[in-house]
Amino acid sequence: MPVGKITALYPSLAQVQPALTELSVTLAPFRVPGETVLFSENTACQGFPLVIEGEIKVSRQSDDGRSLELYRVVPGELCLVSSASLFRAQPLSALGITTKPSELLLIQPELFRHWLETPAFRNDVLGLFAERMADLTSLIDAVAFHKLDRRLAAALLGHGQQLNITHQALADELGTVREIVTRLLHRFEREGWVTLGREQIQIHHSAALRALASHLP
């Protein structure tokens, strides 16, 4: 096992016990081609994957076959879904598939939990949760607001400079929830495009709203 290569990618593994050098006989990297399914939703986690070469795409699948990519794992990075599953001893919540020929090291669940006793490795895993949470928050925002800001801008146009309408009425018109409409309207207000009042929206910058709405398909 190329211990030096692995610790260069994952420095905290130089401190874990049992050490990688002690595990070289029983723990060996393996290669898989691209488009290999490494783990699936609602199945037990077989281990914690470390990417030495290549890339893993982690995504969620809907019942109608649609896929939403959550993140990708490249050499030196860690997999949030695998670590969450091992922490909670619960089934995996996403699909992991290689995007290209990859070399991986699969850490068995018991060994992963033992390594968590090493502060450096534990800090890496906990730091991963913080980083991925920020990524997933951005993804949620993108999903929630994708095109909705454009549709809201279009809904505000064509009614003159003043609209007497509630945020709830706009949400109903757009097929979403009031909180999202309110958040977007406050964004428009910060941009100086509108002023918000009680059941009233004053339009100040129709051109900006029109430019945003023009990106609708």
Side-chain angles (χ1 to χ4, degrees):
M1 177 172 59
V3 173
K5 183 177 181 179
I6 294 171
T7 54
L9 291 170
Y10 302 95
S12 64
L13 294 186
Q15 302 178 40
V16 296
Q17 292 296 326
L20 284 174
T21 51
E22 300 175 41
L23 300 166
S24 58
V25 175
T26 58
L27 188 65
F30 61 95
R31 290 186 173 274
V32 295
E35 304 300 319
T36 297
V37 175
L38 298 176
F39 52 83
S40 302
E41 292 182 54
N42 302 315
T43 62
C45 183
Q46 300 301 311
F48 189 72
L50 298 177
V51 181
I52 301 172
E53 294 178 8
E55 181 182 69
I56 303 172
K57 180 175 72 173
V58 180
S59 59
R60 291 274 293 176
Q61 307 292 310
S62 67
D63 292 338
D64 60 5
R66 290 181 297 169
S67 175
L68 175 64
E69 182 178 322
L70 300 178
Y71 59 86
R72 299 197 179 200
V73 186
V74 298
E77 295 185 352
L78 304 175
C79 178
L80 174 63
V81 165
S82 298
S83 58
S85 176
L86 292 173
F87 266 130
R88 300 178 299 167
Q90 291 185 355
L92 291 152
S93 59
L95 170 74
I97 185 169
T98 55
T99 62
K100 61 183 74 173
S102 300
E103 184 178 13
L104 308 161
L105 189 66
L106 188 67
I107 308 304
Q108 295 302 308
E110 185 177 348
L111 180 59
F112 171 79
R113 297 186 188 100
H114 193 68
W115 279 359
L116 285 175
E117 297 175 8
T118 302
F121 182 68
R122 183 173 64 249
N123 289 341
D124 278 355
V125 174
L126 293 178
L128 161 73
F129 276 88
E131 292 172 8
R132 291 303 189 197
M133 181 58 69
D135 292 343
L136 293 178
T137 298
S138 297
L139 176 61
I140 290 168
D141 280 347
V143 171
F145 301 137
H146 181 57
K147 295 184 181 177
L148 188 58
D149 56 349
R150 305 172 191 176
R151 292 169 54 210
L152 177 58
L156 296 178
L157 295 169
H159 306 286
Q161 296 302 110
Q162 181 174 304
L163 285 76
N164 296 311
I165 190 171
T166 66
H167 296 188
Q168 185 62 60
L170 279 170
D172 292 343
E173 179 181 338
L174 296 171
T176 186
V177 296
R178 178 184 55 78
E179 290 78 7
I180 293 180
V181 167
T182 297
R183 183 170 175 178
L184 288 172
L185 285 172
H186 281 300
R187 194 187 88 188
F188 291 176
E189 188 173 44
R190 289 194 299 272
E191 295 287 346
W193 301 349
V194 303
T195 297
L196 305 178
R198 183 175 178 80
E199 298 187 7
Q200 185 181 97
I201 302 172
Q202 188 75 32
I203 307 296
H204 298 300
H205 203 329
S206 298
L209 292 172
R210 192 170 293 109
L212 178 60
S214 68
H215 289 88
L216 282 170

